[in-house]
Amino acid sequence: MKEINILWFKKDLRIFDNEALCEAIKDNDILPIYIIELDIWSQNTHSDRQWQFCKESLIDLRNALAEIGQPLIIRTGNVINIFDEISTKFKIKGIYSHQETGDWLTYKRDQKVREWALSKNIIWKEFLQFSVFRGNLDRNNWSKKWQENSEKNLLKAPLRINSINFSIGEIPSDEIFTFKKETCPGRMQGGRKKGLERMQYFFSNKLESYSKDISSPEKSFDSCTRLSPYICWGCISLKEIFKKANISKNNNSKMLKSRLTWHCHFIQKLESEPELEFREYHPFFKNIREKNNELLYSWSSGNTGFPFIDACMRSLNFNGWINFRMRAMLMSFASYNLWLPWQDSGSELANKFVDYEPGIHWNQCQMQSGTTSINTNRIYNPIKQGKDHDPQGKFIKKWIPELKDISLNFIHEPWLLSRFNQEEYEQINYIRPIIDIPNSTKTAKKKIQEITKKDGYWDISKEIYLKHGSRKRLRKNINNKNRDYYLFPIGVEKRFRNKLITYLLSKQIFVTVNFRSITDLKYYKKKYKNNSCPYSLKWGEETLSLPFHSKTTTNEINIIFKTLRSFFILN
């Protein structure tokens, strides 16, 4: 019986910079296979738009493998059953794949595959897809490990692989899936070739406007990298983008690289605790929200009566993508103003995203719902967001034709028209607001604050931070005899933050603060313009997150300072 290695493709649909491929061909011929698992695809987080992108990527991968000697083999069914089928034809020496930090089903499936491989005395070797690490992890060294992995050399695709006598199979008909009927005409096309075209276009034409246009739902469609689906499905490796960004030495490339770091940071959380897909970070937030299918449908279909929310949702439904700030706003609105369970609204958003990445998605859902306890609770005001990022209402009018003729004065708040011309307002065929923004925001804040006051809340929060909180690798400032401290006190009110910063400056400690808005940045620049510290503040993005809260006292700040000295000083 011929000996082979199975090269199991999952969400790494490329042959360039594919470590699993390069290692698998070293000692045996390979059987390259992708398995379509219907139980995974039948989840409500999955959708036709994702499958179409995946299918196009599979076709591209099959062609790329065929060019070097062996087309991609495709099967539909249970992974272990298919591996058993292969074992009747060949002696399987090893299984080679990339690590996958997917959803709960893929996590449990991998456990079963590992048990099967052990029972058959088959080695399963997994390689890093991203800079996400398994096993016992020291979060304080994570940034260093990320950097080291991201700077590794890119691996060239093999020039030739031997063909293997095994039916390649066909991509199944769309009819076998149970997706709800939908269209997504604006989505990007799958496959490595399309991904490389988009990457080249971005770095040649759009990098310079990246930071300026990243928050606009309209401009970001062209100015953001739009590479997230290709990263998600593994058509392009993260290292490729990182090295491309390194060519340019400017703030835009630096900002892009920081986004790549955060990409892995969030996936690492789910890797370390897979239950975060459905279980709250902090147990005090369990079951605090109520199911409401009517509100969920209104939100999901873009019919809430709030123009900017509805425009963003309709755009997402059409394109399968929207920029990060608008994703956060949509989730915040569902969690705080509609008070819907994040699991329900999160599932709705997941199947809309062609780039659905569980590790990023579920962590962001919880962050925007206030259930982590280690992140600032942000309740986005959709009216303010609309005025800030769509001041002329062009984006709103594009996606909400019901408002195409309304005056700019009322485009963000059409209900105000009724105060001036009730008859004209009644003629507008647009849904009336389904909730009251000020009241629902006030109620949500009150409910969250009541939870934070419960005994034991902050003790649990501290443990969550130690396991999942972000750290930035500290560096020595050659012009500073003291050490550098990178600080952003999470959830701290401005007056307490000032106490902390002032205290650290008085000790000649170098402070970096990460700002949430331009207004915040201007405030601090003005306040500390003439500070007595001989080392200026650095207005950057290198941060250390600490689980402080709005009741931080001066005595606690003293303790914090001692903790910083004892724990975060570099030797």
Side-chain angles (χ1 to χ4, degrees), residues 232-467:
C232 171
W233 289 97
C235 304
I236 297 177
S237 77
L238 217 58
K239 286 192 295 180
E240 288 182 81
I241 304 170
F242 190 80
K243 292 187 183 300
K244 196 84 170 176
N246 269 338
I247 296 173
S248 301
K249 306 295 182 182
N250 55 42
N251 288 334
N252 284 297
S253 61
K254 182 180 178 182
M255 185 178 187
L256 174 58
K257 287 188 289 184
S258 76
R259 295 302 189 272
L260 299 180
T261 308
W262 284 111
H263 169 278
C264 296
H265 164 74
F266 283 110
I267 297 176
Q268 184 68 64
K269 292 171 185 277
L270 192 66
E271 175 63 40
S272 300
E273 194 170 350
E275 294 83 0
L276 293 177
E277 178 186 341
F278 48 81
R279 191 191 69 200
E280 288 77 4
Y281 272 82
H282 199 299
F284 284 21
F285 292 106
K286 183 179 179 181
N287 296 330
I288 64 170
R289 294 177 166 94
E290 300 174 358
K291 286 181 173 288
N292 188 315
N293 290 334
E294 185 177 346
L295 287 180
L296 183 66
Y297 177 78
S298 296
W299 171 78
S300 178
S301 60
N303 286 290
T304 67
F306 294 96
F308 197 55
I309 288 285
D310 293 343
C312 288
M313 187 62 82
R314 294 183 191 187
S315 173
L316 171 59
N317 289 340
F318 185 90
N319 293 295
W321 182 92
I322 199 163
N323 61 324
F324 173 78
R325 178 176 285 271
M326 299 306 109
R327 296 185 189 207
M329 180 192 68
L330 289 171
M331 192 68 205
S332 168
F333 183 81
S335 293
Y336 291 116
N337 299 108
L338 301 183
W339 204 246
L340 296 172
W342 58 269
Q343 296 93 333
D344 293 354
S345 48
S347 294
E348 281 293 309
L349 284 181
N351 67 55
K352 297 176 189 292
F353 295 147
V354 176
D355 60 3
Y356 167 54
E357 181 67 67
I360 298 175
H361 180 74
W362 292 114
N363 281 294
Q364 282 298 321
C365 286
Q366 293 220 47
M367 279 182 64
Q368 306 309 332
S369 305
T371 61
T372 70
S373 80
I374 62 171
N375 299 101
T376 302
N377 292 334
R378 304 176 202 153
I379 303 181
Y380 290 81
N381 184 324
I383 300 167
K384 181 182 183 300
Q385 290 297 313
K387 291 178 179 179
D388 287 348
H389 302 295
D390 187 28
Q392 301 303 312
K394 293 180 180 178
F395 183 75
I396 290 175
K397 290 190 176 185
K398 176 179 180 180
W399 293 105
I400 307 181
E402 304 98 301
L403 299 177
K404 62 183 176 63
D405 296 323
I406 198 170
S407 165
L408 177 59
N409 294 328
F410 303 108
I411 188 66
H412 297 286
E413 301 170 275
W415 54 87
L416 294 182
L417 178 60
S418 64
R419 300 180 184 179
F420 303 93
N421 191 326
Q422 180 66 31
E423 183 179 350
E424 183 180 350
Y425 177 61
E426 290 177 354
Q427 291 176 355
I428 297 175
N429 186 28
Y430 178 59
I431 190 170
R432 286 8 179 188
I434 60 175
I435 48 98
D436 180 274
I437 289 287
N439 287 340
S440 58
T441 299
K442 183 178 179 179
T443 300
K445 285 182 177 180
K446 183 179 179 181
K447 289 179 178 179
I448 296 294
Q449 287 171 358
E450 287 174 351
I451 292 172
T452 65
K453 294 176 182 177
K454 291 182 178 180
D455 290 343
Y457 177 88
W458 293 108
D459 292 331
I460 296 174
S461 178
K462 180 180 178 181
E463 294 301 317
I464 294 169
Y465 165 74
L466 291 174
K467 184 172 184 177

Side-chain angles (χ1 to χ4, degrees), residues 113-130:
V113 171
R114 190 167 290 107
E115 291 173 1
W116 177 87
L118 283 171
S119 70
K120 301 291 184 180
N121 201 26
I122 296 171
I123 298 172
W124 182 13
K125 294 186 178 181
E126 295 181 277
F127 302 89
L128 293 179
Q129 166 76 335
F130 305 124

Side-chain angles (χ1 to χ4, degrees), residues 206-217:
K206 293 299 175 180
L207 179 61
E208 297 309 311
S209 60
Y210 178 65
S211 59
K212 179 170 64 74
D213 296 335
I214 194 172
S215 294
S216 165

Side-chain angles (χ1 to χ4, degrees), residues 464-481:
I464 294 169
Y465 165 74
L466 291 174
K467 184 172 184 177
H468 293 294
S470 63
R471 280 80 150 171
K472 182 69 179 184
R473 184 164 60 95
L474 307 182
R475 299 174 298 172
K476 186 176 180 180
N477 184 337
I478 58 174
N479 297 319
N480 189 349
K481 294 180 181 179

